[in-house]
Amino acid sequence: MRFRRVGVIGQGYIGLPIAVLLANSGVEVVGYDVDRSLVEELRKGITRLNERDLKDLLKKAISTGKYRPSYKKEDLMGIDAAIIAVPTPKFSDGNPDLSFLEDAIRTAARYVGKNGLIVVESTLPPGSSGMIMNWLKQEERSDLMIAYCPERALPGRLIEEITGNTRIIGADSLEAARAAEDLYRLFIRGDIVHTSFRTAEVVKLVENAYRDVNIAFSNEVARICELLGVDFWEVMELANRHPRVNLLRAGLGVGGPCLTKDPLFLYHAGRKLGYEPLMIFEARNVNDSGPYRYARIVHEVMDLVGCNGRRRIAVLGVTYKEGVSDTRESPSEKFIKFFLEKGYDVVVYDPRSDETFGGARAGSIEEAISGSDCVALLVGHPEFRDLEISRIRSLSGKDNLILFDATGILRHQDKKGVIYIGVGLPIPYPAIKRMEKIYPHKGLSGEV
Ligand code: SAJ
């Protein structure tokens, strides 16, 4: 199938890169989004996403006139295909809320030309294809072809991964599969593999659930190491020398819009059909409980050290992982809120984001640390890689500074003059070990 004009619905993390890549391949692209201010920025060549090469690709696509951002649905008129990249559904009352998706599908159905194609990139709960077919029927568009090509790109490496990764095309007709492949071949060089719509739904969810479960395993091993007085990071390094072992990094928790939600789609799908997927659920619980666990340990150590008066904690890093500016579902949020609720002064510094989750924003790392009783390094941004414990200590001006390191970055340095608490490292006070019995982990409920 030949594509002259394509609509990309949703101009966020996935929709925007795809729209500009397609436009630069010579196709006329309408990038539709409901967010008017976002569209106005895009028209000026400005993007909020800090992704390598994206800015240049956007500028080029605008200058050639092939890419047209719009908040008006009518601008989608005359498209041969629509790619849907709206936010993944959220849960409400244990069921996925598909309203964004429904709106996008109905919009596409009104503007895609006869016998055209709709491709969904957004993550779907298993069994969505039936619902999509139904919406198309209601719109009297049973002529349209439909395919599911779940995105697999890693934020921080979006362009590289969108163009290079293997793509799965899920479609229940050969025609739709071929049309989707023709469209995707215009901007990707990775392999393309065909399967059924439902298999593609499951594959997407399995990928993120797999990662979540694996990280939960590392987080659990790290907690055991803390109590056994063993260094998790050394255990990880040594175990990973086994040819068939690959432990992921432990940390404060797991964040971002994908791993925090996708495993639950899989969990609910199993549960609805009468099987309770315990491991997937417990992995979510372990990862979700991290911020509370470590906040409690830090708080308890503060009590033991006897920090009197109003306490001040400096939080370094609020994004959901290192090297990005995205703070969605960041574990830092729960950590910060714990201390705000306990009445601490929380001062936040992140070189990549202005978000503070209710804390006060510091303009520099020095300003954040100065006068703090505790410094919590939560995210391993490249900008924090050269931090030195001795400098942190002198900037704080405190004799008994508590230094919490969720990243493992500082673990090899001399800890003189600070009380160092690190994820996966022996817990410094015997009393803290008793906490394990007092507070078993509670994650998804958000209870402390
Ligand atoms: N994390 C760890 N330890 C690790 C790696 C990550 O604790 O060893 C944490 C991160 O700090 C972060 C969370 O996990 O809080 C998620 O980060 P990530 O880099 O693992 O993944 P995302 O959420 O940025 O992107 C994932 C990717 N999925 C997989 O790798 C299976 C990406 O390919 C998907 O396209 C994306 O989800 C998505 O949109 O679904």
Side-chain angles (χ1 to χ4, degrees), residues 23-45:
N24 290 334
S25 80
V27 175
E28 216 179 286
V29 178
V30 181
Y32 170 78
D33 201 289
V34 287
D35 183 342
R36 197 174 169 148
S37 63
L38 171 76
V39 167
E40 273 156 9
E41 282 171 19
L42 292 174
R43 283 181 181 158
K44 292 182 205 141

Side-chain angles (χ1 to χ4, degrees), residues 243-351:
R244 283 174 297 283
V245 173
N246 183 22
L247 286 179
L248 294 174
R249 280 176 291 114
L252 185 66
V254 162
C258 311
L259 268 58
T260 50
K261 202 162 2 107
D262 293 2
L264 295 176
F265 286 127
L266 204 57
Y267 167 77
H268 282 289
R271 206 157 175 245
K272 259 191 181 155
L273 295 167
Y275 174 73
E276 179 89 27
L278 293 176
M279 192 176 64
I280 295 173
F281 189 75
E282 271 311 305
R284 279 279 69 242
N285 245 330
V286 168
N287 291 336
D288 229 27
S289 64
Y292 299 120
R293 170 189 167 76
Y294 291 104
R296 261 191 236 114
I297 291 176
V298 169
H299 175 63
E300 198 101 345
V301 173
M302 299 277 261
D303 281 349
L304 283 166
V305 171
C307 286
N308 297 320
R310 201 168 164 89
R311 294 171 178 179
R312 176 179 158 121
I313 179 168
V315 169
L316 306 182
V318 285
T319 58
Y320 86 82
K321 66 175 181 180
E322 69 280 1
V324 299
S325 53
D326 193 337
T327 58
R328 287 176 295 171
E329 314 295 330
S330 173
S332 307
E333 178 171 8
K334 289 179 190 150
F335 187 87
I336 289 170
K337 291 202 163 137
F338 176 95
F339 289 102
L340 287 173
E341 275 165 26
K342 292 259 181 276
Y344 285 57
D345 286 332
V346 182
V347 186
V348 177
Y349 175 71
D350 191 310

Side-chain angles (χ1 to χ4, degrees), residues 123 151-155 161 204 207-208 211 215 219 248-251 253-259 262 320-322 331:
T123 303
E151 59 91 1
R152 307 173 114 180
L154 195 74
E161 294 216 346
K204 167 68 196 185
E207 290 167 0
N208 282 348
R211 195 154 171 86
I215 297 170
N219 281 335
L248 294 174
R249 280 176 291 114
V254 162
C258 311
L259 268 58
D262 293 2
Y320 86 82
K321 66 175 181 180
E322 69 280 1

